[in-house]
Amino acid sequence: VALARAPRPGEVQVALGALRQFQDFYGRDHQAALDFLSEGEAPRNRKLDPGELASYAGVASLILNLDEMVTKP
């Protein structure tokens, strides 16, 4: 939805790979997840697991920072 098109198969695999890497990292480093989630103005939802939330937020950040997203005509 962010790019106004469906993801290509290769892109899905890259995003899933990134999600797994974030889950591994934030699953091992709880403080890093909390630090990442403390950025910005909105407080985090304390009902959600910080490692999982940080992992999905990391993937969202990757998508939102793609050149295609930033320079859409």
Side-chain angles (χ1 to χ4, degrees):
V1 173
L3 299 176
R5 63 171 175 80
R8 298 179 186 107
E11 293 169 335
V12 171
Q13 294 309 312
V14 169
L16 290 174
L19 177 61
R20 283 190 291 276
Q21 288 181 334
F22 283 129
Q23 288 170 326
D24 288 344
F25 177 73
Y26 290 125
R28 288 189 316 266
D29 192 341
H30 183 78
Q31 188 58 50
L34 293 174
D35 291 345
F36 180 69
L37 295 172
S38 70
E39 295 296 323
E41 296 178 18
R44 70 177 174 88
N45 183 336
R46 295 188 180 275
K47 294 179 183 178
L48 300 175
D49 175 77
E52 197 70 11
L53 182 58
S55 298
Y56 281 99
V59 173
S61 179
L62 288 175
I63 292 168
L64 293 173
N65 282 294
L66 290 171
D67 285 345
E68 185 178 352
M69 178 69 189
V70 176
T71 60
K72 257 192 323 191

